[in-house]
Each structure stands twice: as C-alpha cells, then as structure tokens.
Amino acid sequence: MDIRELRTFIAVAKTGNITRAAEELRISQPALSRQIIKLENELGCKLLERGGHGISLTNAGHLLLNRARELSDLLDKTETELKTPDVASGEVSIACSETRATLAIARIAKRLSRTHPNIRFKFRSESSDDVTEYLSRGIVDFGIAVDPARTDDYHALKLPDTDRWGALVPADDDLAFIPLAPSLTSHVALIWSRSHRLSPAGQAFLDAAAAYLDEDREQALQ
C-alpha cells in the first residue's frame, strides 16, 4: 500500500464512479481498477460495493477513506515544509471547535495574509476531542480548544472570547427568567503541540496571534 494507491482510492470515493475517477487522475480505467483490487487484496477486505447506481463504500472503505485523507494531508504538509524550510510560506492548518473565537483567528489570518501572501490557511471544523487528536498526530498546526477540553499537553494562548451556553425558549416561558449560571461560560484557547516543531509559516501565525492579542488587551485597558 502506497500513497498513490490511497489517493486513487480517495478519488474513487469522492466521485463514486470508476470512469470519472480515472479521468480526474488521467489514468486508464483498467489501471485504476487494478490499483483498487491490489489495495483490497493487500488489506484483505472489500472496500467498495459496485451497484447499478455507482459505487458505495463498505464499513472498511469508510475507515480507510478517513485515514487516507489524513495521511495525504500530512504528506502534502510535510512536502511543503521541506521545500520551503526557512521561508514563511506554505500552509497553516487549524482545527476549530464550534466557537465565536474562530472569528478572531480568521482576522489574524487575514492580517497575516497581507504581509505574507505565500501563507495559505486551512480550517477544519472538528469536535474538541478531534482537535487535540489531530494536534497529537501532527495533522494540524493549531487548534482552538473550548473548556472543558484538556490542554495540559499543549502550549496554549488564551483568547479573549468566551462562549456562553443557554437555551432558546419563548419569551413567556418560566425558563426565560432564569439567569445563566457561571458554569455555562466557556473559556477558549489557541493551542499547539509541545512535541512538534512549528514551521516558519506556523511561527509567523503564532507571532501574529500574540501581537493581535496584545493589541486587544491594550485597547481593553484604555
């Protein structure tokens, strides 16, 4: 099993059609089919179900698709970093929980793009557990963590935003007159791995984030 076979499988899963996948990859349909059969033989399981309405994934196929995408993203990220090891260019990937703090991160990314146009940003919307998992695997550079996510194993930069949780009820409902408890307020932090070295692009983003937060604190004191 190699990365070419995995990317072939990703294309088939995305298009749901052998012919369209072959056209997208610019290889012949028989060659593509042989790669899929070889992959199934190597793994000892069936990955695709072929029917009259196209191709669907088996349970094993869904599992492989998730892992294949992670490996492909990680390889692309590694190749970019190796080609430009000392230049603030390339991709910065950020896994985000559902939080309003994402707006601040987007502003930082936009500001950095003006001074470093060769830096690209990739945002992934994930649960808090997936944010830390992707960081530990080195799939993403940064994560946005919302309490009560565990961040002990990561560097953390506290963001000024907090998330408040509540319930949407009619105005005349008894619950409408109950104030939110303090426990329903969550703090948010930008986190990154202690064990993975940041690329020049990642360091440039971190510096921009720190400068943005310093400005935000100064404005709050005025």
Side-chain angles (χ1 to χ4, degrees), residues 137-171:
R137 292 184 183 181
I139 295 171
V140 297
D141 301 299
F142 296 93
I144 300 178
V146 180
D147 285 345
R150 293 183 60 84
T151 59
D152 297 346
D153 296 332
Y154 305 92
H155 296 292
L157 194 62
K158 187 177 178 181
L159 298 175
D161 297 283
T162 56
D163 289 336
R164 299 188 73 199
W165 303 91
L168 186 64
V169 298

Side-chain angles (χ1 to χ4, degrees), residues 48-154:
L48 304 174
E49 294 284 359
R50 297 162 178 84
H53 298 289
I55 289 173
S56 60
L57 299 181
T58 64
N59 289 337
H62 281 292
L63 175 61
L64 179 63
L65 178 61
N66 290 334
R67 296 294 182 263
R69 283 172 171 165
E70 291 178 5
L71 290 169
S72 181
D73 288 348
L74 184 58
L75 180 60
D76 288 341
K77 180 173 177 289
T78 303
E79 288 178 346
T80 299
E81 291 175 0
L82 289 174
K83 288 176 182 176
T84 56
D86 300 314
V87 180
S89 63
E91 183 178 275
V92 175
S93 52
I94 306 168
C96 310
S97 302
E98 296 296 331
T99 170
R100 60 178 293 184
T102 305
L103 294 174
I105 298 302
R107 293 189 194 103
I108 296 167
K110 183 177 181 180
R111 176 187 290 190
L112 185 61
S113 295
R114 294 194 189 105
T115 56
H116 295 75
N118 291 325
I119 295 180
R120 304 181 308 277
F121 292 90
K122 181 176 182 179
F123 289 87
R124 303 177 62 135
S125 179
E126 307 290 350
S127 69
S128 294
D129 289 340
D130 286 339
V131 166
T132 53
E133 181 180 351
Y134 286 143
L135 274 173
S136 64
R137 292 184 183 181
I139 295 171
V140 297
D141 301 299
F142 296 93
I144 300 178
V146 180
D147 285 345
R150 293 183 60 84
T151 59
D152 297 346
D153 296 332
Y154 305 92

